Amino acid sequence: MQPIIEVKNLVKKYGSFEAVRGLSFSVQEGEIFGLLGPNGAGKSTTLEIIETLREKTSGEIWVNGFNLDTQASEIKKIIGVQLQSSGYYPGLNLTELIRLFSGLYNREVEPMELLRMVNLEEKAKAKYKELSGGQKQRFSIATTLINQPQIVFLDEPTTGLDPQARRNLWDLIRGIQSKGVTVIITTHYMDEAEYLCDRVAIIDRGSIVALDTPNNLVDQLLAKGFERK
């Protein structure tokens, strides 16, 4: 099966500092693929390069057959990227924000249908700043779906959420995958990667130190003497 994302020898340098050190991995269509590692490991930088938001130093990236170097505009059309909270206009309610973004994407979107998908229909008239942490994250994921993407990128979507809000978000992400969308997620929570991801790349100091299914990675740790609580 042809991978939907291929990354080969990706390098990103800031002066003499190498944030990403020759990463190579592929993502299969329809899977949830996780980049797991501590803060500063290079996860977000890698994501932003694939999303065409940050320039790479060297390496090759292909997204659904499109070359990042020559076809970045084609890649932008088929991906959904989670916005940071600063990307939302404070004076607009959720329905108005969805209409705004759908206009930017030149897409016809029914706001209530999208809000229903993320269990926020009762907040349709609320402003973004009035939402709880979990509701904000669900809405930000909803905005990634406006352009009906083939691939959705989520950068540490559950950081700072309480356990119930995290679980709700996990169910939402699984629901997105069930519609045939490929999901790339970064996290520093092993339990999150184990629950959500079909495969996980563990990144430390800009390099991949392991890449496998969560079950296989856990089995390898147990074989080394670790104990499962």
Side-chain angles (χ1 to χ4, degrees):
M1 188 166 67
Q2 182 72 18
I4 196 165
I5 295 176
E6 288 186 90
V7 177
K8 297 180 179 177
N9 300 317
L10 178 64
V11 172
K12 176 62 180 178
K13 293 181 180 178
Y14 298 97
S16 60
F17 174 66
E18 209 168 18
V20 179
R21 304 179 179 187
L23 290 192
S24 295
F25 62 90
S26 61
V27 178
Q28 300 300 320
E29 187 171 3
E31 76 174 336
I32 298 178
F33 186 88
L35 296 176
L36 176 70
N39 291 332
K43 308 185 301 296
S44 296
T45 301
T46 300
L47 227 60
E48 288 169 0
I49 292 170
I50 301 172
E51 294 164 351
T52 76
L53 298 176
R54 192 180 294 272
E55 289 190 6
K56 59 183 172 60
T57 302
S58 62
E60 293 181 34
I61 295 175
W62 300 81
V63 180
N64 199 37
F66 297 119
N67 186 311
L68 181 73
D69 293 329
T70 58
Q71 298 168 294
S73 60
E74 296 301 315
I75 293 174
K76 289 175 184 175
K77 294 176 186 175
I78 62 165
I79 65 173
V81 178
Q82 186 181 11
L83 288 176
Q84 300 301 314
S85 59
S86 58
Y88 300 111
Y89 294 94
L92 301 181
N93 65 38
L94 302 195
T95 301
E96 291 165 338
L97 283 169
I98 289 173
R99 289 206 175 101
L100 172 67
F101 289 126
S102 62
L104 295 175
Y105 285 120
N106 200 24
R107 294 270 187 176
E108 284 291 325
V109 174
E110 175 48 54
M112 288 306 294
E113 192 175 311
L114 197 61
L115 290 173
R116 197 172 296 116
M117 190 184 301
V118 297
N119 294 321
L120 285 176
E121 62 266 41
E122 78 283 0
K123 295 289 184 180
K125 299 300 181 185
K127 293 179 171 60
Y128 178 81
K129 64 184 178 182
E130 297 167 352
L131 304 179
S132 69
Q135 290 168 342
K136 285 178 177 177
Q137 289 293 61
R138 295 211 304 276
F139 181 73
S140 71
I141 291 175
T143 63
T144 72
L145 305 175
I146 288 172
N147 66 326
Q148 299 167 348
Q150 292 175 252
I151 309 164
V152 166
F153 293 90
L154 304 176
D155 194 2
E156 297 189 354
T158 68
T159 298
L161 299 186
D162 63 68
Q164 184 59 53
R166 286 180 74 211
R167 281 283 176 176
N168 290 342
L169 214 62
W170 291 355
D171 291 341
L172 172 58
I173 293 167
R174 281 273 183 87
I176 292 169
Q177 181 197 27
S178 72
K179 293 177 170 58
V181 178
T182 305
V183 180
I184 318 296
I185 184 170
T186 69
T187 181
H188 47 255
Y189 301 124
M190 188 63 202
D191 63 329
E192 184 160 280
E194 187 175 7
Y195 181 84
L196 281 178
C197 299
D198 297 294
R199 289 187 305 135
V200 176
I202 298 178
I203 300 180
D204 188 35
R205 298 178 186 175
S207 299
I208 291 177
V209 295
L211 198 167
D212 212 327
T213 65
N215 282 344
N216 285 348
L217 290 171
V218 170
D219 288 345
Q220 290 165 26
L221 288 173
L222 293 175
K224 292 176 182 176
F226 283 83
E227 292 185 4
R228 180 190 278 273
K229 293 183 180 179

